[in-house]
Amino acid sequence: RKRNLIKLPDGELRAMNFYGDDIGELHVIKEFRMVQQKNGDIDFFVQAERRLTEEESSTLRSFLLKIDSRLVVNIREVAVIDWGAGLKREEFVRLDI
């Protein structure tokens, strides 16, 4: 299995937790998508009803930092989530596959 595995800074692959229910508690968020770039950084794309507060951004970041505190997580507020050309909307994608 290669999909839905997050790559940790030491190269270890670990099953990605799904945070839809947790993120759903932040009612301002309409959609989200996490993309782990080839360099290991994670872009956490968020479409929200308004700009996120610092506390909301920290909450989102903390979900991934619980997996490994060394991860670099960038919150990217966007008007529209780019889901790519496929029909399936994947909440987490790792680009080095």
Short mmCIF file of all heavy atoms in Angstrom, two decimals, residues 9-76:
data_model
loop_
_atom_site.label_atom_id
_atom_site.label_comp_id
_atom_site.label_asym_id
_atom_site.label_seq_id
_atom_site.Cartn_x
_atom_site.Cartn_y
_atom_site.Cartn_z
N PRO A 9 9.97 12.77 8.86
CA PRO A 9 11.28 13.32 8.54
C PRO A 9 12.41 12.30 8.50
O PRO A 9 13.39 12.48 7.78
CB PRO A 9 11.51 14.35 9.65
CG PRO A 9 10.13 14.80 10.01
CD PRO A 9 9.30 13.54 9.91
N ASP A 10 12.29 11.19 9.25
CA ASP A 10 13.34 10.16 9.23
C ASP A 10 13.13 9.14 8.11
O ASP A 10 13.87 8.17 8.00
CB ASP A 10 13.43 9.46 10.58
CG ASP A 10 12.16 8.71 10.96
OD1 ASP A 10 11.20 8.65 10.14
OD2 ASP A 10 12.10 8.18 12.08
N GLY A 11 12.10 9.36 7.26
CA GLY A 11 11.84 8.47 6.13
C GLY A 11 10.81 7.40 6.42
O GLY A 11 10.35 6.73 5.50
N GLU A 12 10.44 7.22 7.67
CA GLU A 12 9.43 6.21 8.03
C GLU A 12 8.09 6.58 7.40
O GLU A 12 7.70 7.75 7.37
CB GLU A 12 9.27 6.14 9.55
CG GLU A 12 8.19 5.17 9.98
CD GLU A 12 7.90 5.24 11.48
OE1 GLU A 12 8.68 5.86 12.24
OE2 GLU A 12 6.88 4.66 11.89
N LEU A 13 7.40 5.57 6.88
CA LEU A 13 6.04 5.77 6.36
C LEU A 13 5.06 5.29 7.41
O LEU A 13 5.23 4.20 7.98
CB LEU A 13 5.85 4.99 5.06
CG LEU A 13 6.71 5.44 3.88
CD1 LEU A 13 6.49 4.51 2.69
CD2 LEU A 13 6.42 6.87 3.50
N ARG A 14 4.05 6.09 7.65
CA ARG A 14 3.05 5.74 8.66
C ARG A 14 1.66 6.01 8.09
O ARG A 14 1.47 6.97 7.34
CB ARG A 14 3.27 6.61 9.90
CG ARG A 14 2.41 6.17 11.07
CD ARG A 14 2.70 6.96 12.31
NE ARG A 14 4.06 6.71 12.79
CZ ARG A 14 4.65 7.41 13.73
NH1 ARG A 14 4.03 8.43 14.28
NH2 ARG A 14 5.87 7.12 14.12
N ALA A 15 0.70 5.16 8.43
CA ALA A 15 -0.67 5.36 7.97
C ALA A 15 -1.16 6.74 8.42
O ALA A 15 -0.97 7.13 9.57
CB ALA A 15 -1.58 4.27 8.51
N MET A 16 -1.74 7.47 7.49
CA MET A 16 -2.24 8.81 7.78
C MET A 16 -3.57 8.71 8.50
O MET A 16 -4.46 7.99 8.05
CB MET A 16 -2.40 9.58 6.47
CG MET A 16 -2.94 10.96 6.63
SD MET A 16 -1.87 11.97 7.65
CE MET A 16 -2.77 13.49 7.61
N ASN A 17 -3.68 9.40 9.62
CA ASN A 17 -4.96 9.51 10.31
C ASN A 17 -5.86 10.44 9.51
O ASN A 17 -5.38 11.36 8.87
CB ASN A 17 -4.76 10.08 11.72
CG ASN A 17 -3.91 9.19 12.58
OD1 ASN A 17 -3.96 7.97 12.49
ND2 ASN A 17 -3.10 9.79 13.43
N PHE A 18 -7.15 10.20 9.58
CA PHE A 18 -8.08 11.10 8.92
C PHE A 18 -8.79 11.92 9.98
O PHE A 18 -9.27 11.40 10.97
CB PHE A 18 -9.05 10.32 8.03
CG PHE A 18 -8.33 9.78 6.83
CD1 PHE A 18 -7.81 8.51 6.83
CD2 PHE A 18 -8.12 10.58 5.73
CE1 PHE A 18 -7.09 8.04 5.75
CE2 PHE A 18 -7.41 10.12 4.65
CZ PHE A 18 -6.89 8.84 4.65
N TYR A 19 -8.81 13.20 9.75
CA TYR A 19 -9.25 14.15 10.75
C TYR A 19 -10.55 14.85 10.38
O TYR A 19 -10.86 15.90 10.93
CB TYR A 19 -8.15 15.20 10.97
CG TYR A 19 -6.89 14.58 11.50
CD1 TYR A 19 -5.79 14.39 10.68
CD2 TYR A 19 -6.80 14.17 12.82
CE1 TYR A 19 -4.62 13.83 11.17
CE2 TYR A 19 -5.65 13.60 13.31
CZ TYR A 19 -4.56 13.43 12.48
OH TYR A 19 -3.41 12.86 12.97
N GLY A 20 -11.32 14.28 9.48
CA GLY A 20 -12.54 14.92 9.03
C GLY A 20 -13.48 15.29 10.16
O GLY A 20 -14.01 16.40 10.19
N ASP A 21 -13.68 14.38 11.11
CA ASP A 21 -14.58 14.67 12.23
C ASP A 21 -14.01 15.78 13.11
O ASP A 21 -14.73 16.68 13.53
CB ASP A 21 -14.83 13.42 13.08
CG ASP A 21 -15.67 12.39 12.34
OD1 ASP A 21 -16.35 12.76 11.36
OD2 ASP A 21 -15.64 11.22 12.75
N ASP A 22 -12.70 15.70 13.39
CA ASP A 22 -12.07 16.73 14.22
C ASP A 22 -12.11 18.10 13.54
O ASP A 22 -12.45 19.11 14.17
CB ASP A 22 -10.61 16.37 14.53
CG ASP A 22 -10.50 15.10 15.34
OD1 ASP A 22 -11.31 14.92 16.27
OD2 ASP A 22 -9.60 14.29 15.05
N ILE A 23 -11.78 18.13 12.26
CA ILE A 23 -11.77 19.38 11.52
C ILE A 23 -13.20 19.92 11.39
O ILE A 23 -13.43 21.12 11.41
CB ILE A 23 -11.09 19.20 10.15
CG1 ILE A 23 -9.60 18.91 10.38
CG2 ILE A 23 -11.28 20.43 9.27
CD1 ILE A 23 -8.86 18.45 9.16
N GLY A 24 -14.16 19.01 11.29
CA GLY A 24 -15.57 19.41 11.22
C GLY A 24 -16.03 20.19 12.44
O GLY A 24 -17.00 20.94 12.38
N GLU A 25 -15.31 20.02 13.56
CA GLU A 25 -15.65 20.79 14.77
C GLU A 25 -15.33 22.27 14.61
O GLU A 25 -15.86 23.11 15.33
CB GLU A 25 -14.89 20.22 15.99
CG GLU A 25 -15.30 18.81 16.37
CD GLU A 25 -16.74 18.73 16.85
OE1 GLU A 25 -17.16 19.60 17.63
OE2 GLU A 25 -17.45 17.79 16.43
N LEU A 26 -14.45 22.59 13.67
CA LEU A 26 -14.16 23.99 13.35
C LEU A 26 -15.16 24.39 12.26
O LEU A 26 -14.91 24.24 11.07
CB LEU A 26 -12.72 24.16 12.86
CG LEU A 26 -11.63 23.81 13.87
CD1 LEU A 26 -10.26 23.81 13.21
CD2 LEU A 26 -11.66 24.77 15.05
N HIS A 27 -16.30 24.87 12.66
CA HIS A 27 -17.43 25.08 11.76
C HIS A 27 -17.17 26.08 10.63
O HIS A 27 -17.89 26.10 9.65
CB HIS A 27 -18.66 25.50 12.56
CG HIS A 27 -19.07 24.46 13.55
ND1 HIS A 27 -19.62 23.25 13.18
CD2 HIS A 27 -18.98 24.42 14.90
CE1 HIS A 27 -19.86 22.52 14.24
NE2 HIS A 27 -19.47 23.20 15.31
N VAL A 28 -16.14 26.88 10.76
CA VAL A 28 -15.80 27.86 9.74
C VAL A 28 -15.23 27.20 8.48
O VAL A 28 -15.28 27.76 7.39
CB VAL A 28 -14.81 28.92 10.31
CG1 VAL A 28 -13.47 28.29 10.63
CG2 VAL A 28 -14.66 30.09 9.39
N ILE A 29 -14.73 25.97 8.60
CA ILE A 29 -14.08 25.29 7.48
C ILE A 29 -15.10 24.58 6.60
O ILE A 29 -15.91 23.79 7.07
CB ILE A 29 -13.02 24.29 7.99
CG1 ILE A 29 -11.92 25.08 8.70
CG2 ILE A 29 -12.45 23.46 6.84
CD1 ILE A 29 -10.87 24.23 9.34
N LYS A 30 -15.05 24.90 5.30
CA LYS A 30 -15.94 24.26 4.33
C LYS A 30 -15.32 23.00 3.75
O LYS A 30 -15.97 21.97 3.63
CB LYS A 30 -16.26 25.23 3.19
CG LYS A 30 -17.05 26.44 3.61
CD LYS A 30 -17.28 27.33 2.40
CE LYS A 30 -18.12 28.53 2.75
NZ LYS A 30 -18.36 29.37 1.57
N GLU A 31 -14.05 23.10 3.34
CA GLU A 31 -13.32 21.98 2.75
C GLU A 31 -11.86 22.09 3.14
O GLU A 31 -11.37 23.17 3.44
CB GLU A 31 -13.38 21.99 1.22
CG GLU A 31 -14.74 21.71 0.63
CD GLU A 31 -14.68 21.62 -0.90
OE1 GLU A 31 -14.00 22.46 -1.53
OE2 GLU A 31 -15.31 20.71 -1.44
N PHE A 32 -11.17 20.94 3.08
CA PHE A 32 -9.73 20.95 3.36
C PHE A 32 -9.07 19.83 2.57
O PHE A 32 -9.71 18.86 2.15
CB PHE A 32 -9.45 20.76 4.85
CG PHE A 32 -9.78 19.39 5.36
CD1 PHE A 32 -8.81 18.39 5.41
CD2 PHE A 32 -11.06 19.08 5.78
CE1 PHE A 32 -9.12 17.12 5.86
CE2 PHE A 32 -11.38 17.81 6.24
CZ PHE A 32 -10.40 16.83 6.28
N ARG A 33 -7.78 19.99 2.37
CA ARG A 33 -6.97 18.97 1.72
C ARG A 33 -5.54 19.13 2.20
O ARG A 33 -5.02 20.25 2.29
CB ARG A 33 -7.02 19.12 0.20
CG ARG A 33 -6.30 17.99 -0.52
CD ARG A 33 -6.46 18.09 -2.00
NE ARG A 33 -6.20 16.81 -2.60
CZ ARG A 33 -5.76 16.65 -3.83
NH1 ARG A 33 -5.56 17.69 -4.61
NH2 ARG A 33 -5.53 15.46 -4.31
N MET A 34 -4.88 18.01 2.49
CA MET A 34 -3.48 18.03 2.91
C MET A 34 -2.63 17.40 1.81
O MET A 34 -2.95 16.31 1.34
CB MET A 34 -3.32 17.26 4.22
CG MET A 34 -4.02 17.92 5.38
SD MET A 34 -4.07 16.87 6.85
CE MET A 34 -5.59 15.97 6.53
N VAL A 35 -1.57 18.10 1.43
CA VAL A 35 -0.68 17.61 0.39
C VAL A 35 0.73 17.62 0.94
O VAL A 35 1.26 18.67 1.33
CB VAL A 35 -0.75 18.49 -0.88
CG1 VAL A 35 0.24 17.99 -1.93
CG2 VAL A 35 -2.17 18.53 -1.43
N GLN A 36 1.34 16.42 1.01
CA GLN A 36 2.73 16.35 1.44
C GLN A 36 3.61 16.51 0.22
O GLN A 36 3.57 15.69 -0.71
CB GLN A 36 3.04 15.05 2.17
CG GLN A 36 4.44 15.07 2.78
CD GLN A 36 4.69 13.93 3.73
OE1 GLN A 36 4.16 12.84 3.59
NE2 GLN A 36 5.55 14.18 4.72
N GLN A 37 4.38 17.59 0.20
CA GLN A 37 5.24 17.91 -0.92
C GLN A 37 6.44 16.96 -0.95
O GLN A 37 6.72 16.25 0.02
CB GLN A 37 5.70 19.36 -0.83
CG GLN A 37 4.57 20.37 -0.77
CD GLN A 37 3.71 20.38 -2.02
OE1 GLN A 37 4.18 20.10 -3.13
NE2 GLN A 37 2.44 20.74 -1.86
N LYS A 38 7.16 16.96 -2.05
CA LYS A 38 8.33 16.08 -2.19
C LYS A 38 9.39 16.35 -1.14
O LYS A 38 10.12 15.44 -0.75
CB LYS A 38 8.92 16.21 -3.60
CG LYS A 38 8.02 15.61 -4.66
CD LYS A 38 8.61 15.74 -6.04
CE LYS A 38 7.65 15.13 -7.06
NZ LYS A 38 8.18 15.18 -8.41
N ASN A 39 9.47 17.59 -0.64
CA ASN A 39 10.46 17.92 0.38
C ASN A 39 10.00 17.52 1.79
O ASN A 39 10.73 17.72 2.76
CB ASN A 39 10.82 19.40 0.34
CG ASN A 39 9.69 20.30 0.78
OD1 ASN A 39 8.59 19.85 1.09
ND2 ASN A 39 9.94 21.60 0.78
N GLY A 40 8.79 16.98 1.90
CA GLY A 40 8.27 16.52 3.19
C GLY A 40 7.34 17.50 3.89
O GLY A 40 6.60 17.13 4.79
N ASP A 41 7.38 18.78 3.47
CA ASP A 41 6.46 19.76 4.06
C ASP A 41 5.02 19.39 3.70
O ASP A 41 4.76 18.84 2.63
CB ASP A 41 6.73 21.16 3.52
CG ASP A 41 8.04 21.75 4.02
OD1 ASP A 41 8.79 21.05 4.74
OD2 ASP A 41 8.32 22.92 3.68
N ILE A 42 4.11 19.73 4.59
CA ILE A 42 2.70 19.46 4.35
C ILE A 42 1.98 20.78 4.18
O ILE A 42 2.01 21.64 5.06
CB ILE A 42 2.08 18.65 5.50
CG1 ILE A 42 2.79 17.31 5.60
CG2 ILE A 42 0.57 18.48 5.28
CD1 ILE A 42 2.41 16.50 6.80
N ASP A 43 1.33 20.94 3.02
CA ASP A 43 0.47 22.09 2.79
C ASP A 43 -0.94 21.68 3.15
O ASP A 43 -1.49 20.73 2.59
CB ASP A 43 0.55 22.55 1.33
CG ASP A 43 1.88 23.21 1.01
OD1 ASP A 43 2.47 23.83 1.91
OD2 ASP A 43 2.32 23.12 -0.14
N PHE A 44 -1.51 22.37 4.11
CA PHE A 44 -2.85 22.10 4.63
C PHE A 44 -3.75 23.16 4.01
O PHE A 44 -3.82 24.28 4.49
CB PHE A 44 -2.83 22.20 6.15
CG PHE A 44 -3.94 21.50 6.86
CD1 PHE A 44 -3.68 20.79 8.02
CD2 PHE A 44 -5.25 21.57 6.42
CE1 PHE A 44 -4.68 20.16 8.71
CE2 PHE A 44 -6.27 20.95 7.10
CZ PHE A 44 -5.99 20.23 8.25
N PHE A 45 -4.39 22.82 2.88
CA PHE A 45 -5.24 23.76 2.16
C PHE A 45 -6.61 23.80 2.83
O PHE A 45 -7.20 22.76 3.11
CB PHE A 45 -5.38 23.34 0.70
CG PHE A 45 -4.09 23.42 -0.06
CD1 PHE A 45 -3.32 22.29 -0.25
CD2 PHE A 45 -3.64 24.62 -0.57
CE1 PHE A 45 -2.12 22.35 -0.94
CE2 PHE A 45 -2.45 24.70 -1.26
CZ PHE A 45 -1.68 23.56 -1.45
N VAL A 46 -7.09 25.01 3.07
CA VAL A 46 -8.34 25.20 3.78
C VAL A 46 -9.19 26.23 3.03
O VAL A 46 -8.72 27.32 2.72
CB VAL A 46 -8.09 25.72 5.22
CG1 VAL A 46 -9.40 25.98 5.93
CG2 VAL A 46 -7.24 24.74 5.99
N GLN A 47 -10.42 25.83 2.75
CA GLN A 47 -11.42 26.77 2.25
C GLN A 47 -12.35 27.04 3.41
O GLN A 47 -12.94 26.10 3.97
CB GLN A 47 -12.19 26.17 1.07
CG GLN A 47 -13.25 27.09 0.52
CD GLN A 47 -14.10 26.42 -0.54
OE1 GLN A 47 -13.95 25.23 -0.83
NE2 GLN A 47 -15.02 27.17 -1.10
N ALA A 48 -12.46 28.30 3.81
CA ALA A 48 -13.24 28.64 4.99
C ALA A 48 -14.18 29.80 4.71
O ALA A 48 -14.03 30.51 3.71
CB ALA A 48 -12.30 29.00 6.14
N GLU A 49 -15.12 29.98 5.60
CA GLU A 49 -16.10 31.05 5.47
C GLU A 49 -15.48 32.42 5.70
O GLU A 49 -16.00 33.44 5.24
CB GLU A 49 -17.24 30.85 6.48
CG GLU A 49 -18.04 29.60 6.22
CD GLU A 49 -19.05 29.32 7.32
OE1 GLU A 49 -19.14 30.11 8.29
OE2 GLU A 49 -19.74 28.30 7.21
N ARG A 50 -14.37 32.46 6.42
CA ARG A 50 -13.65 33.69 6.73
C ARG A 50 -12.20 33.33 6.99
O ARG A 50 -11.86 32.15 7.04
CB ARG A 50 -14.26 34.38 7.95
CG ARG A 50 -14.26 33.49 9.17
CD ARG A 50 -14.50 34.22 10.46
NE ARG A 50 -14.74 33.32 11.56
CZ ARG A 50 -13.83 32.56 12.17
NH1 ARG A 50 -12.57 32.58 11.75
NH2 ARG A 50 -14.14 31.76 13.16
N ARG A 51 -11.37 34.33 7.21
CA ARG A 51 -9.97 34.04 7.56
C ARG A 51 -9.93 33.31 8.90
O ARG A 51 -10.72 33.62 9.80
CB ARG A 51 -9.16 35.33 7.66
CG ARG A 51 -8.88 35.88 6.28
CD ARG A 51 -7.65 36.71 6.07
NE ARG A 51 -6.41 36.46 6.75
CZ ARG A 51 -5.43 35.65 6.31
NH1 ARG A 51 -5.61 34.94 5.23
NH2 ARG A 51 -4.30 35.57 6.96
N LEU A 52 -9.04 32.36 9.00
CA LEU A 52 -8.89 31.61 10.24
C LEU A 52 -8.20 32.48 11.29
O LEU A 52 -7.34 33.29 10.97
CB LEU A 52 -8.05 30.36 10.00
CG LEU A 52 -8.60 29.33 9.01
CD1 LEU A 52 -7.60 28.21 8.85
CD2 LEU A 52 -9.95 28.80 9.46
N THR A 53 -8.58 32.26 12.52
CA THR A 53 -7.86 32.91 13.61
C THR A 53 -6.56 32.15 13.83
O THR A 53 -6.38 31.02 13.36
CB THR A 53 -8.69 32.88 14.91
OG1 THR A 53 -8.84 31.51 15.33
CG2 THR A 53 -10.06 33.52 14.72
N GLU A 54 -5.66 32.74 14.57
CA GLU A 54 -4.39 32.07 14.89
C GLU A 54 -4.66 30.79 15.67
O GLU A 54 -4.01 29.77 15.46
CB GLU A 54 -3.48 33.00 15.67
CG GLU A 54 -2.09 32.43 15.89
CD GLU A 54 -1.36 32.07 14.59
OE1 GLU A 54 -1.44 32.83 13.62
OE2 GLU A 54 -0.70 30.99 14.57
N GLU A 55 -5.65 30.82 16.56
CA GLU A 55 -6.00 29.63 17.34
C GLU A 55 -6.52 28.51 16.44
O GLU A 55 -6.14 27.35 16.61
CB GLU A 55 -7.06 29.98 18.39
CG GLU A 55 -7.43 28.82 19.27
CD GLU A 55 -8.46 29.19 20.33
OE1 GLU A 55 -8.71 30.38 20.57
OE2 GLU A 55 -9.04 28.24 20.90
N GLU A 56 -7.34 28.85 15.46
CA GLU A 56 -7.86 27.84 14.53
C GLU A 56 -6.73 27.25 13.69
O GLU A 56 -6.66 26.03 13.49
CB GLU A 56 -8.94 28.45 13.63
CG GLU A 56 -10.21 28.76 14.39
CD GLU A 56 -11.15 29.71 13.65
OE1 GLU A 56 -10.68 30.48 12.76
OE2 GLU A 56 -12.35 29.69 13.96
N SER A 57 -5.82 28.09 13.22
CA SER A 57 -4.67 27.60 12.46
C SER A 57 -3.81 26.68 13.31
O SER A 57 -3.35 25.63 12.85
CB SER A 57 -3.83 28.76 11.93
OG SER A 57 -4.53 29.48 10.96
N SER A 58 -3.59 27.06 14.56
CA SER A 58 -2.79 26.23 15.47
C SER A 58 -3.46 24.89 15.73
O SER A 58 -2.78 23.85 15.80
CB SER A 58 -2.58 26.96 16.80
OG SER A 58 -1.75 28.07 16.61
N THR A 59 -4.78 24.90 15.84
CA THR A 59 -5.52 23.64 16.04
C THR A 59 -5.32 22.72 14.85
O THR A 59 -5.04 21.53 15.03
CB THR A 59 -7.01 23.93 16.26
OG1 THR A 59 -7.16 24.72 17.46
CG2 THR A 59 -7.81 22.65 16.40
N LEU A 60 -5.45 23.24 13.64
CA LEU A 60 -5.24 22.42 12.44
C LEU A 60 -3.83 21.86 12.40
O LEU A 60 -3.62 20.68 12.14
CB LEU A 60 -5.51 23.25 11.18
CG LEU A 60 -6.95 23.67 10.94
CD1 LEU A 60 -7.04 24.58 9.73
CD2 LEU A 60 -7.84 22.45 10.75
N ARG A 61 -2.86 22.71 12.65
CA ARG A 61 -1.45 22.29 12.63
C ARG A 61 -1.22 21.18 13.68
O ARG A 61 -0.49 20.22 13.43
CB ARG A 61 -0.57 23.51 12.92
CG ARG A 61 0.83 23.40 12.45
CD ARG A 61 1.60 24.70 12.62
NE ARG A 61 1.39 25.59 11.49
CZ ARG A 61 0.68 26.72 11.51
NH1 ARG A 61 0.12 27.14 12.61
NH2 ARG A 61 0.55 27.46 10.43
N SER A 62 -1.86 21.31 14.83
CA SER A 62 -1.62 20.36 15.93
C SER A 62 -2.06 18.94 15.58
O SER A 62 -1.48 17.99 16.08
CB SER A 62 -2.32 20.82 17.21
OG SER A 62 -3.72 20.64 17.13
N PHE A 63 -3.07 18.78 14.73
CA PHE A 63 -3.49 17.44 14.33
C PHE A 63 -2.32 16.66 13.74
O PHE A 63 -2.09 15.49 14.06
CB PHE A 63 -4.64 17.48 13.32
CG PHE A 63 -5.92 18.03 13.85
CD1 PHE A 63 -6.64 18.95 13.11
CD2 PHE A 63 -6.42 17.65 15.08
CE1 PHE A 63 -7.84 19.47 13.58
CE2 PHE A 63 -7.62 18.15 15.57
CZ PHE A 63 -8.32 19.07 14.81
N LEU A 64 -1.55 17.31 12.86
CA LEU A 64 -0.44 16.64 12.20
C LEU A 64 0.80 16.57 13.09
O LEU A 64 1.55 15.60 13.03
CB LEU A 64 -0.11 17.33 10.88
CG LEU A 64 -1.24 17.21 9.85
CD1 LEU A 64 -0.96 18.09 8.65
CD2 LEU A 64 -1.41 15.78 9.42
N LEU A 65 0.99 17.57 13.93
CA LEU A 65 2.16 17.54 14.81
C LEU A 65 2.04 16.46 15.88
O LEU A 65 3.05 16.02 16.43
CB LEU A 65 2.37 18.92 15.44
CG LEU A 65 2.75 20.01 14.44
CD1 LEU A 65 2.89 21.36 15.16
CD2 LEU A 65 4.01 19.67 13.68
N LYS A 66 0.82 15.98 16.14
CA LYS A 66 0.65 14.84 17.06
C LYS A 66 1.24 13.57 16.46
O LYS A 66 1.68 12.69 17.18
CB LYS A 66 -0.83 14.62 17.37
CG LYS A 66 -1.41 15.65 18.30
CD LYS A 66 -2.89 15.40 18.52
CE LYS A 66 -3.52 16.55 19.27
NZ LYS A 66 -4.98 16.40 19.37
N ILE A 67 1.24 13.47 15.13
CA ILE A 67 1.85 12.32 14.45
C ILE A 67 3.36 12.36 14.65
O ILE A 67 3.97 11.37 14.98
CB ILE A 67 1.50 12.32 12.95
CG1 ILE A 67 -0.01 12.16 12.75
CG2 ILE A 67 2.26 11.22 12.22
CD1 ILE A 67 -0.46 12.38 11.33
N ASP A 68 3.94 13.53 14.41
CA ASP A 68 5.38 13.73 14.59
C ASP A 68 5.64 15.22 14.70
O ASP A 68 5.32 15.98 13.77
CB ASP A 68 6.15 13.13 13.41
CG ASP A 68 7.64 13.06 13.66
OD1 ASP A 68 8.25 14.11 13.95
OD2 ASP A 68 8.20 11.95 13.59
N SER A 69 6.21 15.64 15.80
CA SER A 69 6.41 17.06 16.06
C SER A 69 7.43 17.70 15.12
O SER A 69 7.54 18.93 15.06
CB SER A 69 6.84 17.28 17.51
OG SER A 69 8.08 16.65 17.75
N ARG A 70 8.16 16.89 14.35
CA ARG A 70 9.16 17.44 13.41
C ARG A 70 8.56 17.83 12.07
O ARG A 70 9.24 18.44 11.24
CB ARG A 70 10.28 16.43 13.19
CG ARG A 70 11.03 16.05 14.46
CD ARG A 70 11.94 14.88 14.22
NE ARG A 70 11.14 13.70 13.90
CZ ARG A 70 11.62 12.57 13.40
NH1 ARG A 70 12.91 12.45 13.15
NH2 ARG A 70 10.83 11.55 13.14
N LEU A 71 7.30 17.48 11.82
CA LEU A 71 6.68 17.80 10.54
C LEU A 71 6.57 19.32 10.37
O LEU A 71 6.35 20.05 11.33
CB LEU A 71 5.28 17.19 10.45
CG LEU A 71 5.22 15.66 10.35
CD1 LEU A 71 3.80 15.18 10.53
CD2 LEU A 71 5.79 15.19 9.02
N VAL A 72 6.73 19.76 9.13
CA VAL A 72 6.52 21.17 8.79
C VAL A 72 5.14 21.27 8.15
O VAL A 72 4.88 20.64 7.12
CB VAL A 72 7.61 21.68 7.82
CG1 VAL A 72 7.32 23.11 7.39
CG2 VAL A 72 8.98 21.57 8.47
N VAL A 73 4.25 22.03 8.80
CA VAL A 73 2.87 22.14 8.35
C VAL A 73 2.58 23.60 8.01
O VAL A 73 2.71 24.48 8.86
CB VAL A 73 1.89 21.65 9.43
CG1 VAL A 73 0.45 21.75 8.94
CG2 VAL A 73 2.21 20.23 9.86
N ASN A 74 2.20 23.83 6.75
CA ASN A 74 1.87 25.18 6.28
C ASN A 74 0.37 25.27 6.04
O ASN A 74 -0.17 24.52 5.22
CB ASN A 74 2.60 25.49 4.96
CG ASN A 74 4.09 25.29 5.09
OD1 ASN A 74 4.74 25.95 5.89
ND2 ASN A 74 4.65 24.36 4.32
N ILE A 75 -0.30 26.16 6.76
CA ILE A 75 -1.73 26.38 6.54
C ILE A 75 -1.87 27.31 5.35
O ILE A 75 -1.30 28.40 5.33
CB ILE A 75 -2.41 26.99 7.79
CG1 ILE A 75 -2.15 26.13 9.03
CG2 ILE A 75 -3.90 27.20 7.53
CD1 ILE A 75 -2.69 24.73 8.97
N ARG A 76 -2.61 26.87 4.34
CA ARG A 76 -2.80 27.65 3.11
C ARG A 76 -4.30 27.92 2.94
O ARG A 76 -5.04 27.03 2.55
CB ARG A 76 -2.31 26.88 1.88
CG ARG A 76 -0.89 26.35 1.99
CD ARG A 76 0.09 27.40 1.61
NE ARG A 76 1.41 26.81 1.50
CZ ARG A 76 2.51 27.44 1.84
NH1 ARG A 76 2.45 28.68 2.27
NH2 ARG A 76 3.67 26.86 1.73
#
